[in-house]
Amino acid sequence: MNNKTLMDNLRCIPDFPQKGINFRDVTTLFKNPECLNIMVDELYEMYRNKGITKIVGIESRGFVLSSALAVRLGAGVVLCRKPGKLPAETVKENYTKEYGSDTIEIHKDAISSEDVVLLHDDLLATGGTMRAAYNLVKKFNPKEILVNFIIEITDEGLHGRDAFEKDTEVTTLITV
């Protein structure tokens, strides 16, 4: 899609968090009311007929649009968080990152087998965190799992979509 207003407002910070990385900063999109409306409208159009019942927002930037979209779709929001952040019993998924391992959690009672789940995060680079979230949500055996990002980075030799099976629906609002 690459909406011109979104592209014009997306901040790119060279050499952050380390030399050679061009960090795409979505906070410039979140703070701009026009951009926020464009993103929610585009997501709504993508998913309004998909029967979404739960949107899983990935910590922390994934919480922003998952909440706004859930209101429009009449869906619930599920928080996918780092360990120790959720107060009730959780289901966990461990995964490997570039520089070690990590864990994410969702409340044990957050998703049912009747749910159609949309996983949402801000950025698709290598796909590692979202793949872990996908594996975590699969443990709940929902009817369907869809995956969405605000931005997909392909211009730096990254192939994040390769982390998912070919039949997994992965969508993005911006591809760079």
Side-chain angles (χ1 to χ4, degrees):
M1 294 188 168
N2 284 13
N3 177 287
K4 182 174 176 5
T5 302
L6 297 182
M7 295 299 289
D8 289 347
N9 284 277
L10 178 62
R11 179 168 42 201
C12 183
I13 303 169
D15 298 322
F16 182 83
Q18 62 188 37
K19 190 163 181 61
I21 304 284
N22 289 313
F23 186 82
R24 273 43 177 234
D25 181 11
V26 296
T27 64
T28 55
L29 302 178
F30 293 158
K31 74 177 183 177
N32 181 312
E34 182 182 9
C35 291
L36 196 54
N37 275 311
I38 289 167
M39 291 186 296
V40 173
D41 287 347
E42 286 187 6
L43 288 170
Y44 177 75
E45 287 304 315
M46 280 183 192
Y47 293 107
R48 66 188 175 103
N49 296 318
K50 301 276 186 176
I52 305 293
T53 57
K54 300 276 174 61
I55 302 176
V56 175
I58 311 302
E59 187 168 329
S60 65
R61 291 177 299 264
F63 296 166
V64 177
L65 288 184
S66 62
S67 300
L69 181 59
V71 170
R72 290 277 301 273
L73 292 176
V77 174
V78 174
L79 303 182
C80 183
R81 303 217 55 196
K82 294 178 180 175
K85 302 286 186 177
L86 295 171
E89 191 175 353
T90 62
V91 177
K92 304 175 190 313
E93 181 73 19
N94 298 311
Y95 64 103
T96 303
K97 298 182 355 176
E98 292 175 59
Y99 305 106
S101 62
D102 212 341
T103 303
I104 52 175
E105 300 179 335
I106 293 176
H107 276 137
K108 189 175 185 176
D109 61 356
I111 298 170
S112 80
S113 60
E114 295 301 309
D115 284 317
V116 175
V117 178
L118 172 63
L119 293 167
H120 173 77
D121 204 359
D122 66 326
L123 186 72
L124 174 57
T126 64
T129 301
M130 184 60 89
R131 180 59 207 215
Y134 182 89
N135 292 343
L136 179 56
V137 169
K138 274 184 96 168
K139 293 177 181 180
F140 292 90
N141 197 30
K143 285 182 181 176
E144 187 176 8
I145 304 171
L146 304 128
V147 178
N148 174 263
F149 301 90
I150 298 171
I151 302 167
E152 179 178 11
I153 299 175
T154 61
D155 67 353
E156 297 178 16
L158 298 171
H159 304 282
R161 284 179 186 259
D162 294 347
F164 302 94
E165 289 87 8
K166 297 295 180 214
D167 64 339
T168 303
E169 182 178 313
V170 178
T171 60
T172 61
L173 298 180
I174 298 170
T175 302
V176 295

